[in-house]
Each structure stands twice: as structure tokens, then as C-alpha cells.
């Protein structure tokens, strides 16, 4: 049973990573070996397509990592397609209105909560016939992540976060600061106000705030503020940072001899 969504609702802080480049079988279990809780395979900016996604999700079976997918956009139809492959959560970018959010929830949940199409005996249920209880359990275990990345989304923040079925409201900081007219200025007063407003709205409506901090120090800070679903950088960023530090240490050690 996947209890990721329930753990969020209970107030736990869950850690994972968004993958854009290292999309190879084994990466999910590797992150599990690092005691991470989830992995998000990026179909928006990364090179992950639907065929590769199927392989990556399958490689996570048998590990403790919860596989999720960021779909390319709202028009990736149906959104539930990645769930049929076995993804346990879906991140949808550039959501701006309550109406869009309601439609996302409908697409990702079975009736009566939504209108997800039914395909049984496929990858998501491990090719076994489903019981009558399957549909309610699937709805309970599917995590819905809404990305807020534009000034319009900020205007509609309360209306979006209050939609029943939303589990995580995730700030897309680069797109957001570009949209608001101060690109990559993450100490800008308006950006910091958005973060405060998001935390307040999420607390009010029982939604987990999500974020991708660029550094360990930033992650620790935003967790202390109340963010509860955190990507520990990206695969590219963590690899480059680790390799640069490794090389710098070796180079300095060699030159000291």
C-alpha cells in the first residue's frame, strides 16, 4: 500500500528529487537507498517521454520510493495516462485558475470524485483483476500536485489551494519570478510574500506546500517555515555540485603535496 498521501496529511515532511537527466533504470532504487521518499520523473523539461516513463516506474517496484511524474502541461490528455503506467502522483505545471484545478482533480480520480477512465489488469494494478475496493483505494493513494508558477496563479492562490482533492501546492520559483517581473530574485519582497501567502493558504485548507530549494541550507530553512514536500535539488544540480566539490578537494590536496 502506498501511504505517501496519508503521511502528507499527517504533517510529515517528505523528501525526494525531480529528475531531468539521469533517467535510467535503477535511479529510483538508488534514491530509495538514500532514504528519500519520492521521485518525480520530469516530462516537462527533461527528456522523459511516455515510453521511458513506463520503464522508470517499473524499475521502482520492489523499492520504497514512490514514483511520480510531472506531465508536460495541462493539455497532456488524459492526465491519468501516467497513473495507468503506475505513477502514484501527478505534478501539473502552470496551473492558474480554480477551474483548471478542479478539472485536474477530476481527471486523476475515479468516480464519484472524478472521471478517470478505467483500465484494469494493466501496469498500475500489476496486471491483476481489481476488486470492488480498488477504486476508492486508488483515489486515496493518488497524490495531486499543483504547480503555481505565474502572477495569475498568485492572484487565484486561495481559490486554487481550496479545491478538494489537491494534496500539494508547489511553487515554481523561476517561472514565477519571471512572470512577476523580477527573474530569479528569490529574496525579492514580493516573492517572499507569495511564499508566506502560500504557507497560510495551505495551512488553512490542509494542503502540503511543496518546493525545490537549490541548496541544503535553503531546504532546511523552508522546511523550518512549514514546507513539507521537498525536492532536494535536481539530479543535474546535485551531481554537478558534488563533482565540483570532489574535484576541488582532490585538486587542492594534490597541489598541497
Amino acid at each position: 500500500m502506498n501511504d505517501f498521501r496519508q503521511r502528507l496529511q499527517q504533517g510529515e515532511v517528505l523528501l525526494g528529487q525531480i529528475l531531468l537527466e539521469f533517467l535510467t533504470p535503477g535511479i529510483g532504487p538508488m534514491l530509495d537507498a538514500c532514504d528519500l521518499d519520492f521521485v518525480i520523473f520530469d516530462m516537462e523539461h527533461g527528456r522523459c517521454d511516455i515510453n521511458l516513463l513506463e520503464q522508470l516506474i517499473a524499475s521502482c517496484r520492489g523499492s520504497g520510493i514512490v514514483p511520480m511524474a510531472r506531465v508536460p502541461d495541462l493539455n497532456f490528455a488524459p492526465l491519468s495516462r501516467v497513473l495507468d503506467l503506475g505513477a502514484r502522483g501527478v505534478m501539473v505545471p502552470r496551473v492558474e485558475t480554480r477551474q483548471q484545478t478542479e478539472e485536474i482533480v477530476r481527471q486523476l480520480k475515479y468516480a464519484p470524485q472524478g472521471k478517470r477512465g478505467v483500465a484494469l489488469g494493466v501496469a498500475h494494478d500489476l496486471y491483476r483483476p481489481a476488486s470492488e475496493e480498488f477504486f476508492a483505494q486508488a483515489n486515496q493513494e493518488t497524490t495531486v500536485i499543483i504547480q503555481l508558477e505565474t502572477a495569475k496563479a498568485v492572484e487565484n492562490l486561495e481559490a486554487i489551494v481550496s479545491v478538494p482533492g489537491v494534496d500539494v501546492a508547489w511553487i515554481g520559483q523561476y517561472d514565477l519570478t519571471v512572470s512577476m517581473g523580477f527573474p530569479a530574485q528569490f529574496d525579492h519582497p514580493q516573492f517572499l510574500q507569495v511564499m508566506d501567502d502560500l504557507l497560510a493558504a495551505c495551512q488553512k485548507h490542509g494542503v502540503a506546500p511543496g518546493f525545490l530549494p537549490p541548496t541544503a541550507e535553503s531546504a532546511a530553512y523552508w522546511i523550518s517555515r512549514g514546507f513539507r514536500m521537498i525536492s532536494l535539488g535536481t539530479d543535474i544540480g546535485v551531481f554537478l555540485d558534488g563533482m565540483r566539490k570532489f574535484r576541488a578537494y582532490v585538486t587542492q590536496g594534490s597541489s598541497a603535496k
Side-chain angles (χ1 to χ4, degrees), residues 66-92:
V66 178
M68 304 187 181
R70 173 157 66 179
V71 296
D73 54 45
L74 286 162
N75 298 315
F76 181 84
L79 295 177
S80 60
R81 189 178 181 190
V82 299
L83 296 179
D84 288 343
L85 295 179
R88 301 305 180 191
V90 181
M91 173 184 279
V92 184

Side-chain angles (χ1 to χ4, degrees), residues 235-252:
D235 53 344
I236 297 173
V238 170
F239 177 81
L240 290 176
D241 181 64
M243 183 55 67
R244 286 166 180 153
K245 289 179 179 176
F246 199 137
R247 183 186 184 281
Y249 183 87
V250 171
T251 302
Q252 291 166 5

Side-chain angles (χ1 to χ4, degrees), residues 140-155:
Q140 183 67 16
E141 294 182 3
T142 298
T143 302
V144 178
I145 307 168
I146 301 298
Q147 277 200 284
L148 308 172
E149 305 185 88
T150 66
K152 184 175 180 180
V154 171
E155 293 173 5

Side-chain angles (χ1 to χ4, degrees), residues 21-234:
E21 187 65 31
F22 297 165
L23 302 171
T24 179
I27 191 68
M30 286 171 64
L31 295 178
D32 180 43
C34 296
D35 291 329
L36 296 191
D37 301 294
F38 68 90
V39 57
I40 299 176
F41 300 112
D42 189 4
M43 303 176 72
E44 181 190 10
H45 297 300
R47 59 181 179 86
C48 187
D49 61 17
I50 196 73
N51 293 319
L52 180 55
L53 179 67
E54 180 180 22
Q55 299 173 39
L56 294 168
I57 291 173
S59 74
C60 292
R61 292 175 189 152
S63 74
I65 202 80
V66 178
M68 304 187 181
R70 173 157 66 179
V71 296
D73 54 45
L74 286 162
N75 298 315
F76 181 84
L79 295 177
S80 60
R81 189 178 181 190
V82 299
L83 296 179
D84 288 343
L85 295 179
R88 301 305 180 191
V90 181
M91 173 184 279
V92 184
R94 297 183 301 283
V95 179
E96 296 186 312
T97 69
R98 181 179 181 88
Q99 291 73 24
Q100 289 174 338
T101 308
E102 291 172 337
E103 176 61 18
I104 289 166
V105 173
R106 281 193 292 267
Q107 287 198 42
L108 297 178
K109 302 289 184 175
Y110 291 115
Q113 191 173 350
K115 60 177 185 179
R116 176 181 171 185
V118 178
L120 302 179
V122 294
H124 69 89
D125 57 5
L126 296 179
Y127 310 99
R128 295 182 175 89
S131 65
E132 182 179 346
E133 294 77 23
F134 166 79
F135 303 98
Q137 181 177 335
N139 281 352
Q140 183 67 16
E141 294 182 3
T142 298
T143 302
V144 178
I145 307 168
I146 301 298
Q147 277 200 284
L148 308 172
E149 305 185 88
T150 66
K152 184 175 180 180
V154 171
E155 293 173 5
N156 295 319
L157 175 61
E158 184 85 20
I160 291 170
V161 172
S162 64
V163 171
V166 172
D167 299 302
V168 181
W170 190 290
I171 287 290
Q173 66 266 36
Y174 280 97
D175 284 273
L176 180 59
T177 55
V178 169
S179 174
M180 296 182 74
F182 43 89
Q185 297 180 45
F186 305 125
D187 58 352
H188 195 285
Q190 290 184 48
F191 175 75
L192 297 176
Q193 184 62 56
V194 170
M195 298 293 267
D196 287 342
D197 292 345
L198 177 72
L199 286 166
C202 285
Q203 183 174 21
K204 177 179 178 182
H205 297 287
V207 172
F211 190 47
L212 192 169
T215 66
E217 294 77 14
S218 177
Y221 171 75
W222 288 112
I223 289 171
S224 73
R225 291 292 313 280
F227 278 80
R228 294 195 286 106
M229 185 174 179
I230 294 288
S231 176
L232 301 182
T234 65

